[in-house]
Amino acid sequence: MSDLILGIESSCDDTSVGVVGRDGQVLSNIISSQAELHSVYGGVYPQLASREHLRAVLPTVELAMKAADVSHADLKAIAVTRGPGLIGSLIVGVDTARALARGWGLPIIGVNHLRGHVRSADLEETRVEYPAMILLVSGGHTLLAHMTSPRSIELLGSTRDDSVGEAYDKTARLLGKGYPGGPIVDKMAASGSARFDLPRPMVNNGLDFSFSGLKTAVRMLVERSEQLDQDDVAASFVDAVLDVLTSKVSRALELRKSSSLIVVGGVAASPPLRERMAAVCAEHQVRLCLPPVKWATDNGAMIALAAWDYVDNHVGADLSPKANLGLAAW
């Protein structure tokens, strides 16, 4: 049996399936995106998301297997995201994985989506050196954690309300733009000037995050005037977000000895965030570990790679879908 795992990811709005080796070699990764479907609503509509997963998941599995040029006989196991995420979307993925595992006679591994993001930094090549600091920034999560090994994760801080990705999406909606908001707002910001004084919530207070106040400040700014330069609004928003993230990461690196800084999650694809984190790492003399941009957003490959940690640590196959699964949980 080959050292290959098939990973299924369906925690939110993208259906993705990847085939990955133990060393992070990606044989295939196919994504069926729902972005166009949800753009009408300015965010993910849960019932539509689960319905689209039902339609897309088996064809995506077939495409991933074909692209990797493997059959089920070449697989060691099937891995699937069991949480956190939208419960309907999670159930589709888990039930599909159960059926495939039974039909193919393979073991099945329920994977924590957040651990998948953390492991995405080692897709294609090994980048992470331990101990490592983690900044996970996505549409659903913003957190800081410290790892001494893939098995040991200590949560240091998380968002008290909205995630960075949610703040990006809300700002895009306020500016009358589409979904997902991250790439749109970053592109606008690159052409604008950060001339508006927006708040930096909790910037000098601990390691937790809060972005609801920043979202409100952007809304009030936009509502006060219809003549605002939208690029300047976007630039001011991005500057505020980066100041908060930079401050928190710097403080965390001062508190915990780290050889690496892992920056993962969909917002890790942001060019200005990558630049800021590179500067932070240079200042603190730690290695910056970023996944290639194509692995920053949700994907099946990261779930497959994370599953190898479950195999190596003899972790039981908990398949119960859990919408609010925490980072420390397997």
Side-chain angles (χ1 to χ4, degrees):
M1 183 178 290
S2 298
D3 270 358
L4 299 174
I5 289 181
L6 177 83
I8 300 174
E9 157 59 25
S10 66
S11 64
C12 190
D13 59 329
D14 285 345
T15 309
S16 182
V17 180
V19 179
V20 177
R22 179 184 289 276
D23 60 356
Q25 178 191 12
V26 181
L27 275 68
S28 70
N29 187 74
I30 305 297
I31 298 176
S32 177
S33 174
Q34 299 182 20
E36 184 176 350
L37 173 68
H38 298 287
S39 62
V40 177
Y41 307 98
V44 178
Y45 196 97
Q47 290 177 310
L48 289 179
S50 56
R51 186 183 306 167
E52 283 301 299
H53 284 305
L54 277 170
R55 181 194 62 79
V57 64
L58 287 177
T60 306
V61 169
E62 184 177 359
L63 286 172
M65 297 282 282
K66 184 176 181 180
D69 193 23
V70 298
S71 72
H72 67 270
D74 298 310
L75 301 176
K76 183 178 184 65
I78 296 174
V80 61
T81 300
R82 74 175 187 96
L86 302 175
I87 192 63
S89 297
L90 293 169
I91 289 172
V92 172
V94 169
D95 285 353
T96 300
R98 286 182 190 273
L100 291 174
R102 179 172 294 182
W104 291 345
L106 290 169
I108 182 172
I109 302 167
V111 174
N112 186 327
H113 176 80
L114 302 180
R115 287 179 177 266
H117 272 305
V118 172
R119 294 296 277 125
S120 70
D122 279 335
L123 285 170
E124 297 182 354
E125 65 176 88
T126 300
R127 300 176 179 88
V128 177
E129 297 176 4
Y130 296 100
M133 188 65 64
I134 303 163
L135 173 66
L136 197 161
V137 278
S138 69
H141 303 89
T142 301
L143 60 85
L144 277 166
H146 191 252
M147 294 178 68
T148 54
S149 72
R151 187 175 180 88
S152 174
I153 303 180
E154 176 192 8
L155 181 65
L156 302 179
S158 60
T159 181
R160 296 187 177 183
D161 39 59
D162 303 314
S163 69
V164 173
E166 287 175 312
Y168 263 100
D169 288 340
K170 178 65 173 180
T171 297
R173 287 198 299 272
L174 289 169
L175 297 176
K177 305 303 178 182
Y179 170 86
I184 297 169
V185 173
D186 275 341
K187 185 175 181 179
M188 295 173 66
S191 301
S193 172
R195 62 187 182 89
F196 298 111
D197 185 20
L198 294 176
R200 274 78 170 152
M202 299 180 65
V203 67
N204 295 314
N205 183 13
L207 297 177
D208 281 343
F209 302 87
S210 171
F211 292 101
S212 62
L214 176 57
K215 289 194 328 185
T216 300
V218 173
R219 177 178 59 79
M220 294 175 64
L221 178 63
V222 171
E223 290 177 349
R224 280 201 303 265
S225 173
E226 296 180 357
Q227 306 301 318
L228 289 174
D229 185 303
Q230 291 193 336
D231 290 350
D232 289 352
V233 175
S236 301
F237 165 79
V238 171
D239 197 53
V241 166
L242 294 181
D243 281 352
V244 171
L245 295 179
T246 300
S247 173
K248 302 288 184 178
V249 169
S250 293
R251 189 174 299 118
L253 289 172
E254 290 169 359
L255 292 172
R256 292 288 191 279
K257 177 178 174 57
S258 304
S259 298
S260 306
L261 170 64
I262 305 170
V263 183
V264 289
V267 184
S270 167
L273 176 60
R274 287 175 169 242
E275 291 177 9
R276 282 285 191 102
M277 291 301 108
V280 169
C281 286
E283 178 183 352
H284 291 274
Q285 297 184 322
V286 301
R287 181 180 185 183
L288 178 59
C289 299
L290 285 162
V293 170
K294 65 181 177 180
W295 303 126
T297 55
D298 294 351
N299 61 83
M302 72 184 195
I303 301 304
L305 181 56
W308 285 109
D309 294 334
Y310 289 67
V311 172
D312 293 340
N313 288 287
H314 308 289
V315 176
D318 189 341
L319 296 176
S320 53
K322 191 171 182 179
N324 61 345
L325 193 67
L327 175 67
W330 284 95

